Amino acid sequence: MKKKYCIANWKMNQSVEDCENYAFKLKSSFCKTSSEMIVCPSFIHLSKIKDLFGDLEIQIGAQTISEHLNGAYTGEISVEMLNDFNINWTIVGHSERRQFFNETNQDIQNKLKIAVENKINPIVCIGETLLERQNSKTIEVLKEQIQTTFDSINCSNIKLIIAYEPVWAIGSGVTADLNTISETHEEIRNILSKIISNSEKVSILYGGSVNPDNCEKILNLKHVDGFLIGGASLDPEKFLNIYRKMN
Ligand code: PEP
């Protein structure tokens, strides 16, 4: 059985007060199950969230990292800085990083490489745009994203998560239909098996407008090992509700 994950991507949201309220709610109702929960707040709240969560069995991750170890890269955060705070997960290649910060597959490979070399476990996001899907390019795009990102990278010493997030389903309220998710996850597993050793250990998550009402049906699909959640993860009750339904 592959590990199941429920991951919150808070993006550029939540105040310190929101973080405190969130932690308070989790402390009163979170119960660890066989699934892992990972929360990815903004960089500036990582340390605060780590303190607030205390000994709750919830892991914490960053939303991106620099592709450089250190140096004159104003505004960037390095893997060494994450390691200083014992943060051992990061999202890599989220579609908003690709879209608004022009990250290419090559940039994402550089980030993956530095993460893996520094024992930060990556959550690698892939996904097609609506136009690419309409033009029947989905598999081609995903293959290209996976091939370039993982080219000559050895992931055998880390935990690796792939998040399939169709760009058109992110934050849109439109979830991909069950057939689309099922077929695409199966394709991704096939692609991974040709590119990554021990690919059967890789968890493939779905992301795109997941909420407490649609999560169960999606999770019942064969190749879905959990979720990466944006909007619904901002509300601790909704997020916990989804986490509980995973077990
Ligand atoms: C995301 O940003 O990774 C995401 C899946 O967002 P949402 O759940 O809001 O669609």
Side-chain angles (χ1 to χ4, degrees):
M1 282 282 278
K2 272 172 289 304
K3 260 263 172 261
K4 288 200 164 39
Y5 292 90
C6 189
I7 305 182
N9 174 14
W10 286 357
K11 312 191 186 191
M12 201 174 68
N13 293 299
Q14 310 284 49
S15 62
V16 170
E17 195 183 346
D18 295 332
C19 292
E20 285 165 352
N21 291 336
Y22 205 102
F24 181 77
K25 291 212 171 113
L26 287 192
K27 281 202 158 145
S28 59
S29 11
F30 173 75
C31 228
K32 175 77 172 71
T33 65
S34 58
S35 302
E36 299 296 328
M37 182 185 279
I38 306 177
V39 173
C40 302
S42 71
F43 280 129
I44 203 164
H45 292 143
L46 280 169
S47 165
K48 176 89 190 166
I49 284 291
K50 198 163 175 53
D51 289 347
L52 285 169
F53 284 5
D55 54 13
L56 283 179
E57 284 183 81
I58 300 176
Q59 303 180 60
I60 299 162
Q63 296 174 12
T64 185
I65 41 158
S66 169
E67 61 186 276
H68 305 285
L69 255 195
N70 47 46
Y73 300 103
T74 302
E76 292 286 271
I77 302 285
S78 73
V79 282
E80 288 183 342
M81 294 167 182
L82 293 186
N83 275 331
D84 268 352
F85 284 88
N86 289 322
I87 305 294
N88 44 22
W89 286 95
T90 186
I91 298 174
V92 177
H94 191 280
S95 68
E96 286 152 15
R97 301 294 314 174
R98 297 175 190 260
Q99 194 182 344
F100 303 128
F101 302 94
N102 303 318
E103 285 186 12
T104 62
N105 286 336
Q106 184 56 55
D107 297 327
I108 292 155
Q109 193 213 56
N110 297 342
K111 289 177 184 232
L112 177 69
K113 186 164 187 289
I114 207 157
V116 168
E117 285 172 357
N118 289 276
K119 307 254 175 324
I120 305 276
N121 303 301
I123 302 153
V124 178
C125 300
I126 56 172
E128 80 288 359
T129 62
L130 186 57
L131 196 63
E132 287 161 346
R133 177 157 286 276
Q134 284 167 341
N135 290 334
S136 307
K137 297 263 189 241
T138 299
I139 301 309
E140 198 181 308
V141 167
L142 297 176
K143 212 182 245 172
E144 172 65 19
Q145 289 175 340
I146 295 171
Q147 260 164 355
T148 313
T149 306
F150 288 95
D151 185 34
S152 49
I153 297 202
N154 179 357
C155 294
S156 55
N157 291 328
I158 40 115
K159 293 175 197 147
L160 170 64
I161 296 177
I162 301 284
Y164 168 57
E165 301 206 299
V167 178
W168 44 274
I170 296 179
S172 62
V174 179
T175 320
D177 66 66
L178 295 176
N179 262 348
T180 302
I181 300 174
S182 184
E183 282 170 17
T184 316
H185 275 236
E186 189 169 0
E187 285 286 354
I188 293 169
R189 191 144 294 292
N190 284 338
I191 299 168
L192 287 176
S193 69
K194 295 183 190 112
I195 293 176
I196 298 177
S197 54
N198 289 333
S199 68
E200 65 288 347
K201 289 195 185 141
V202 178
S203 299
I204 305 177
L205 315 189
Y206 170 76
S209 299
V210 172
N211 61 47
D213 298 327
N214 61 24
C215 64
E216 273 168 304
K217 284 192 177 145
I218 302 174
L219 197 70
N220 281 339
L221 300 172
K222 188 165 167 220
H223 296 286
V224 176
D225 306 310
F227 303 113
L228 177 55
I229 306 170
S233 76
L234 295 174
D235 176 337
E237 270 158 30
K238 282 191 190 159
F239 189 54
L240 264 176
N241 203 336
I242 297 170
Y243 178 75
R244 287 197 197 105
K245 287 185 177 173
M246 290 179 58
N247 296 283

